[in-house]
Amino acid sequence: MHDNNIRRIAIVGGGTAGWMTAAALSKLIKPDYCQIRLIESEDIGTVGVGEATIPQIQLFNKLLDLDENEFVRKTQGTFKLGIQFVNWKKIGHKYIHAFGEVGKDMEGVQFYHYWLKMLAQGKAEELDNYTIGGLASDRGKFMRPIDAGNSPLSNIAYAFHFDAGLYARFLREYSEARGVLRTEGKIVDTILRASDGFIESVQLASGERVEADFFIDCSGFRGLLIEQALNTGYEDWAHWLPCDRAWAVPCESVGEPTPYTRSTAHSAGWQWRIPLQHRIGNGHVFSSRFMSEDEACSILLNNLDGKPLAEPRLLKFVTGKRKKVWNKNCVAIGLASGFMEPLESTSLHLVQSTIARLMSFFPNKSFDQEDIDEFNRQTSFEVEKIRDFLILHYHATERNDSDFWNYCRTMSIPEDLTQKIEQFKKNGRIYRNNTEMFNELSWFEVMHGQGIHPRAYHPLVDRMSNDEIAKRLEGIRGVIEKSVDYMPTHAEFIAEHCKA
Ligand code: FAD
């Protein structure tokens, strides 16, 4: 009988996306069922800047059965409880978007509604004091959650910072041990089947031809298969997210690593600071419409903690997404599928979620078009919701000190985002849209942090007297403070468990 199953997969590209895909597929599909081959070119290289992640990456590590301490050690990693945003609402202001719970919900109503009421009366402290991630970030503390019943220590949400190059190497070892074949070489041509335009093979500079049933394009911005061969098209979002360049440079560490990523807004973009064990990753994301490359580079170099460890590298990008992430027998993952700046550290999450979606929609050689359409619909939904969350950071600002901020503050924004902001302003409610990635608490932390204040709070808050609310808030604050007192410093935790 004709075998209609996919028996040969070719992954084009060995950056983080390529090796994450190879690792996950090799864990789930054995080589006697399907051969997986990865082609990469050392001459071309990878983007490989420092990476910050979000807590969902723990699921990916679990899927691979990774030992977390070994993973952190081998990637010079550190832990991350959230992102600190400096100068985003206005110069001199800062807030933390911390992972995990905010306060404790009371009588079926979210904590933040009670907090908003008390804040308006001057009876509440800063939000960080009611979130374990926020306060632990402020104090440089970290530990993994422990089984401590109702205590916030049971509920510490965290992610990682790590060196992307080391991560790719780590995943390469993992994948090769599970049968992935790696080919070093430059692809110079893609051969399409005459009958239907599906990809038949790729041609290497060495003359070798690699055939496969299914191709995964992880070739980075150039989109070697999805764009250059299949002409899929690209949706450009630069009118909402005008940054299109980044200078990246690592520098020496000074002091202990912070358990959070820092994002500092400048006059035409923002700077990331990602602490690793052996260095700090830095980059200045900016808009070339509003600032020259030279000026952006000197701003970065003038705002480093320690001495730069390399020459700054310029990366150019167009924010947006491929019109179809899956086209014919090719799925694009990573930068080949589109790009959004790392403001909320979502790129690797999108790699991971596309891999998970690919497993649910795994095809046979018939490549059912309805499945492909649904895959593309779900992928678009996911990235568009993240895009709106990023736009929020730029749009909701009081900054009027540069043309860039004047543009962002006054630009038109997507309809869904307008509705979300207006609803929040009206009565403090936030609706999570089905499976959108950022939950109500993330939206709340950023909307509040950027200076959006609702005119009302949940009416059921008024069931409780002000004294009672104040007492309960104080109780929560005290428990959070005690929990953070109990935690070791981030540096102590690393030294004990995962020092490189
Ligand atoms: P690449 O790293 O570009 O890899 C492409 C691969 O394709 C390489 O192996 C290359 O050799 C191969 N290739 C290309 N053409 C050919 C050819 N012709 N023949 C053979 N091989 C070929 N993500 C986060 O989650 N957190 C962050 O903090 C973060 N910060 C970022 C900052 C910047 C400025 C940028 C640009 C990205 C950032 N990202 C971040 C995104 C993250 O770096 C990427 O999503 C991730 O590294 C995946 O890249 P990739 O593997 O898709 O592409």
Side-chain angles (χ1 to χ4, degrees):
M1 211 177 80
H2 169 64
D3 178 9
N4 202 29
N5 286 327
I6 301 287
R7 299 295 183 186
R8 295 167 306 175
I9 297 175
I11 300 170
V12 169
T16 323
W19 284 115
M20 280 176 78
T21 307
L25 293 184
S26 67
K27 176 75 190 345
L28 298 167
I29 306 174
K30 299 285 165 260
D32 57 353
Y33 179 85
C34 175
Q35 184 205 84
I36 301 169
R37 191 149 169 196
L38 184 146
I39 305 155
E40 65 176 321
S41 159
E42 266 165 32
D43 283 351
I44 294 176
T46 64
V47 163
V49 288
E51 313 272 16
T53 56
I54 55 176
Q56 284 84 339
I57 192 143
Q58 286 176 40
L59 298 175
F60 189 74
N61 289 347
K62 280 202 183 100
L63 166 77
L64 302 187
D65 285 331
L66 296 187
D67 177 278
E68 197 174 280
N69 286 337
E70 186 195 352
F71 152 72
V72 173
R73 195 178 304 119
K74 284 200 167 167
T75 59
Q76 294 276 359
T78 64
F79 296 88
K80 169 175 174 184
L81 295 164
I83 305 176
Q84 184 187 54
F85 289 95
V86 179
N87 296 345
W88 278 84
K89 177 184 162 192
K90 57 184 177 190
I91 293 173
H93 177 266
K94 61 182 179 200
Y95 70 95
I96 288 193
H97 169 199
F99 304 134
E101 263 189 329
V102 173
K104 197 120 202 98
D105 297 352
M106 296 185 271
E107 317 296 340
V109 173
Q110 282 164 314
F111 169 85
Y112 76 79
H113 286 281
Y114 296 93
W115 179 79
L116 282 171
K117 181 176 185 185
M118 289 295 105
L119 188 73
Q121 299 177 12
K123 292 183 191 153
E125 295 189 12
E126 278 185 27
L127 195 61
D128 290 357
N129 293 344
Y130 303 90
T131 66
I132 187 143
L135 193 63
S137 292
D138 288 343
R139 305 220 174 139
K141 299 286 195 89
F142 178 77
M143 67 188 245
R144 294 196 184 99
I146 52 171
D147 195 0
N150 261 342
S151 159
L153 292 171
S154 310
N155 243 329
I156 301 170
Y158 66 95
F160 310 95
H161 304 116
F162 52 74
D163 179 322
L166 297 177
Y167 187 53
R169 196 179 307 161
F170 181 70
L171 294 178
R172 175 178 160 186
E173 277 169 28
Y174 179 98
S175 309
E176 289 186 317
R178 282 161 186 77
V180 172
L181 304 172
R182 172 185 179 271
T183 302
E184 163 62 36
K186 188 168 171 195
I187 295 170
V188 290
D189 199 9
T190 306
I191 293 95
L192 305 183
R193 210 154 60 191
S195 56
D196 53 11
F198 277 47
I199 301 174
E200 200 170 69
S201 60
V202 287
Q203 166 96 46
L204 304 186
S206 63
E208 188 188 356
R209 230 174 223 211
V210 178
E211 292 185 353
D213 306 318
F214 194 24
F215 289 82
I216 319 262
D217 186 350
C218 298
S219 64
F221 288 129
R222 51 179 61 74
L224 199 63
L225 309 183
I226 196 83
E227 197 59 53
Q228 293 184 10
L230 296 177
N231 296 309
T232 304
Y234 195 77
E235 226 176 89
D236 181 339
W237 292 334
H239 49 297
W240 289 315
L241 293 166
C243 289
D244 59 356
R245 304 266 192 288
W247 283 106
V249 71
C251 75
E252 281 175 352
S253 301
V254 175
E256 297 192 348
T258 51
Y260 56 87
T261 310
R262 181 179 299 142
S263 161
T264 306
H266 292 310
S267 61
W270 61 279
Q271 178 171 339
W272 78 75
R273 178 187 178 281
I274 299 179
L276 303 178
Q277 289 191 35
H278 58 324
R279 57 174 166 79
I280 298 174
N282 308 279
H284 183 188
V285 175
F286 65 101
S287 170
S288 63
R289 253 172 73 197
F290 294 95
M291 184 177 277
S292 72
E293 290 175 359
D294 287 351
E295 189 182 355
C297 188
S298 61
I299 288 177
L300 176 66
L301 293 174
N302 288 332
N303 285 283
L304 300 178
D305 288 26
K307 266 208 333 245
L309 294 171
E311 283 299 310
R313 254 177 83 200
L314 182 67
L315 298 136
K316 297 184 180 177
F317 51 83
V318 180
T319 298
K321 75 166 178 63
R322 210 60 71 193
K323 285 191 175 143
K324 292 182 218 159
V325 166
W326 187 335
N327 191 2
K328 300 185 192 285
N329 60 338
C330 173
V331 171
I333 300 187
L335 300 174
S337 69
F339 181 72
M340 284 186 281
E341 59 198 82
L343 186 55
E344 284 283 352
S345 315
T346 43
S347 297
L348 292 194
H349 172 71
L350 287 172
V351 170
Q352 165 188 350
S353 67
T354 312
I355 296 169
R357 191 168 300 121
L358 179 59
M359 291 315 294
S360 336
F361 286 82
F362 200 83
N364 59 25
K365 285 184 198 155
S366 305
F367 288 96
D368 185 280
Q369 192 56 45
E370 271 74 39
D371 286 347
I372 295 176
D373 292 345
E374 179 58 19
F375 179 97
N376 285 329
R377 199 194 60 73
Q378 291 186 15
T379 309
S380 294
F381 176 84
E382 183 176 37
V383 293
E384 284 165 16
K385 295 299 127 200
I386 294 175
R387 173 201 69 195
D388 289 358
F389 191 53
L390 300 193
I391 297 171
L392 170 71
H393 297 64
Y394 284 100
H395 183 64
T397 179
E398 293 169 16
R399 285 191 67 153
N400 57 5
D401 54 292
S402 69
D403 289 347
F404 174 81
W405 288 108
N406 287 339
Y407 172 80
C408 294
R409 209 186 57 253
T410 56
M411 69 186 169
S412 69
I413 56 173
E415 183 57 31
D416 274 11
L417 178 58
T418 304
Q419 273 178 16
K420 220 165 194 145
I421 294 175
E422 289 309 314
Q423 187 68 45
F424 180 68
K425 278 185 183 165
K426 193 162 64 173
N427 60 12
R429 292 208 171 128
I430 298 163
Y431 305 135
R432 187 178 191 173
N433 210 329
N434 283 320
T435 50
E436 83 173 287
M437 208 202 72
F438 287 104
N439 66 18
E440 297 89 335
L441 296 178
S442 287
W443 278 90
F444 170 69
E445 286 177 86
V446 174
M447 289 211 257
H448 175 75
Q450 294 290 141
I452 304 179
H453 303 298
R455 294 187 287 275
Y457 48 80
H458 197 296
L460 291 178
V461 161
D462 290 336
R463 283 171 304 174
M464 247 185 243
S465 69
N466 284 348
D467 285 351
E468 177 65 15
I469 301 175
K471 199 173 97 198
R472 293 220 201 170
L473 253 60
E474 184 47 26
I476 293 169
R477 196 203 57 73
V479 171
I480 296 277
E481 177 152 36
K482 263 201 204 113
S483 304
V484 172
D485 284 346
Y486 176 84
M487 293 165 75
T489 69
H490 184 212
E492 283 165 355
F493 187 88
I494 292 172
E496 184 176 345
H497 300 280
C498 36
K499 185 90 191 128

